[in-house]
Amino acid sequence: MLRVAVVGSGPSGCYTAQSLVQQDPDVLVDVLDRLPCPYGLVRYGVAPDHEKIKSLQNNLRTILEHERVRFVGGVGIGPGGVPAARLRELYHAVVYCVGAATDRHLGIPGEELPGSWSATEFVSWYSAHPDSTADGFVAGARSAVVIGVGNVAVDVTRMLARGTTELSPTDIPHPALTALAASRVREVHMVGRRGPSQARFTTKELRELGSLPGTEVAVRAEELALDPAYLDPSALSAPQRRNVEVLRGWAATESRPSSRRISLRFFLRPVEVLADGGRVGAVRFERTVPDGRGGVRGTGEFEEIEAQLVLRSVGYRGMPVEGLPFDAESGTVPNVDGRVVRGGSPVPGEYVAGWIKRGPTGVIGTNRPDAKETVTSLLEDAPGLVHEELPGDPLDALRAEGIEPVEWAGWCAIERAEAELGASLGRGVVKLPDWQSLMNAVRGNVH
């Protein structure tokens, strides 16, 4: 009987577990997570108003409820948790699906001023991630600058422009809903250093900005025209052409009275966050133009955009996992077809899948074939792994070492507590916003 630990219960981890039980009728899979809640970025990264994407939790739930799969929450790997070497003693094989946990910095003066945040911090706050300690994002802000033109940038821009009426039926935590309801942000600038044909957002996400009640979307025709591929989109991929068509439509639309305004800006590179009274007051940008090689070059022309809130959304990076090799340049664990590489050679028994394997690229569905590739490697190695002597049920060993895993029943208790909280607030399901309330729910101590 092959025992496998999958570290991480997001889409990558769940698809790995699914692939394992589908391909091997005898394998037993424990899906470990540092948090007491499963689903990873589907729970803590997808915006609360994207209920269709969030419904993917139902698919992941089916995987975690499989008779040969166990969810094991509240178990960290590394410092303060279970060492990687110990995990390797408890299982025949370990697959790390730990994602890319940190965000990239801009590396410009003023980036650390109060009022300047990563989009990751903002998303964690409105998604009720238990590690989130930041708040006060919108307090006192009238204008916001979002730096980046990917789907996360679109998400945070949309959330800043959403009204209480649209957010109240979602599972957004109550403190975040209350803060956004009181927000005085009326102008949101989403800014990219390159052109519209190189933006990373999907057309569906982009179009949503144009359907927000009481919100005008503005683009500048002269900025769009700096992009040669905007003027002649024939060489672009179909998704890029669709993006260009949406932007072209907005450029041709006359301004209309509205309570909020979203400005999409292109060919502007941030060079400094400017202070006003010790906080963010504006962002200074340099105008860029295409360099003919797919990048941009500065022109020496500058523009300042007033803002009391700055959110950077310029990508994610993987973090080292204690006990595993790590390539700092790519932010990934070195691997061949998912097998971890140590000293230049793949090591049977240790594997990676998802962003920690390939870098932060692709959409949720990309994780399915990625996981399958890793599982294929693991099962090729299985005949040599399954003969290793294990000390019995890994959960018994963890409990003997003072670790109290949150099993599926504990997660179901959290779900019940979130439904009860929502009912008490006259809303639907509302997320519990912190470690204390989550663990109280697990222990049945809900007040």
Side-chain angles (χ1 to χ4, degrees), residues 245-401:
E245 287 309 310
V246 172
L247 293 167
R248 186 171 275 126
W250 286 336
T253 304
E254 286 192 20
S255 160
R256 67 181 193 275
S258 55
S259 58
R260 289 189 182 90
R261 177 185 171 97
I262 294 171
S263 295
L264 300 186
R265 304 292 307 275
F266 296 96
F267 292 110
L268 291 173
R269 177 166 59 202
V271 293
E272 186 176 3
V273 180
L274 303 172
D276 180 10
R279 292 182 52 83
V280 168
V283 183
R284 192 168 195 239
F285 292 92
E286 182 181 17
R287 167 67 63 200
T288 61
V289 292
D291 64 5
R293 300 186 302 276
V296 292
R297 60 177 176 81
T299 62
E301 296 174 39
F302 296 90
E303 176 181 343
E304 292 177 12
I305 299 178
E306 181 203 340
Q308 297 77 40
L309 168 63
V310 174
L311 297 172
R312 67 177 183 273
S313 179
V314 291
Y316 293 93
R317 276 190 61 77
M319 292 288 285
V321 179
E322 188 186 51
L324 290 185
F326 187 71
D327 179 351
E329 191 171 326
S330 64
T332 60
V333 171
N335 70 93
V336 176
D337 297 334
R339 290 183 181 91
V340 173
V341 171
R342 291 182 182 273
S345 301
V347 181
E350 292 182 312
Y351 307 86
V352 283
W355 279 4
I356 199 65
K357 170 186 173 185
R358 68 179 189 273
T361 60
V363 294
I364 289 172
T366 313
N367 291 296
R368 198 185 287 272
D370 179 280
K372 195 169 184 180
E373 178 187 67
T374 294
V375 168
T376 299
S377 296
L378 190 160
L379 293 179
E380 284 174 3
D381 300 340
L385 297 171
V386 75
H387 299 302
E388 294 174 14
E389 196 72 31
L390 299 182
D393 187 332
L395 261 62
D396 292 341
L398 291 175
R399 288 193 183 97
E401 291 164 23

Side-chain angles (χ1 to χ4, degrees), residues 66-295:
H66 189 281
E67 61 185 2
R68 288 183 284 119
V69 176
R70 288 191 298 194
F71 171 68
V72 185
V75 178
I77 307 303
V82 181
R86 178 59 177 150
L87 204 60
R88 190 67 189 80
E89 293 169 356
L90 297 176
Y91 294 89
H92 293 116
V94 181
V95 188
Y96 291 89
C97 306
V98 293
T102 191
D103 58 278
R104 294 181 183 274
H105 287 252
L106 298 169
I108 61 174
E111 186 174 8
E112 304 307 323
L113 279 169
S116 171
W117 311 82
S118 72
T120 308
E121 291 171 300
F122 188 57
V123 170
S124 292
W125 172 69
Y126 68 58
S127 299
H129 195 293
D131 288 343
S132 174
T133 55
D135 60 10
F137 293 92
V138 294
R142 304 176 304 280
S143 175
V145 164
V146 178
I147 298 171
V149 283
N151 277 346
V152 175
V154 175
D155 274 353
V156 299
T157 296
R158 192 182 65 254
M159 288 295 291
L160 285 169
R162 277 281 189 214
T164 316
T165 307
E166 300 120 72
L167 289 176
S168 187
T170 74
D171 64 3
I172 187 171
H174 213 62
L177 177 66
T178 304
L180 290 171
S183 168
R184 294 187 294 135
V185 173
R186 294 295 174 262
E187 184 105 26
V188 185
H189 307 266
M190 192 169 83
V191 188
R193 63 186 176 87
R194 298 196 292 177
S197 70
Q198 295 164 314
R200 303 296 294 273
F201 42 62
T202 53
T203 310
K204 180 179 179 294
E205 297 263 353
L206 181 63
R207 282 193 180 120
E208 279 185 274
L209 295 179
S211 64
L212 297 173
T215 302
E216 175 197 5
V217 178
V219 293
R220 301 191 181 192
E222 65 273 19
E223 287 184 348
L224 302 177
L226 289 172
D227 187 342
Y230 176 83
L231 298 172
D232 178 14
S234 58
L236 295 176
S237 67
Q240 289 171 314
R241 280 201 306 276
R242 288 193 291 270
N243 285 346
V244 163
E245 287 309 310
V246 172
L247 293 167
R248 186 171 275 126
W250 286 336
T253 304
E254 286 192 20
S255 160
R256 67 181 193 275
S258 55
S259 58
R260 289 189 182 90
R261 177 185 171 97
I262 294 171
S263 295
L264 300 186
R265 304 292 307 275
F266 296 96
F267 292 110
L268 291 173
R269 177 166 59 202
V271 293
E272 186 176 3
V273 180
L274 303 172
D276 180 10
R279 292 182 52 83
V280 168
V283 183
R284 192 168 195 239
F285 292 92
E286 182 181 17
R287 167 67 63 200
T288 61
V289 292
D291 64 5
R293 300 186 302 276

Side-chain angles (χ1 to χ4, degrees), residues 412-429:
C412 292
I414 290 172
E415 288 187 304
R416 287 194 299 274
E418 292 185 335
E420 290 166 11
L421 174 61
S424 73
L425 296 168
R427 296 173 55 195
V429 170

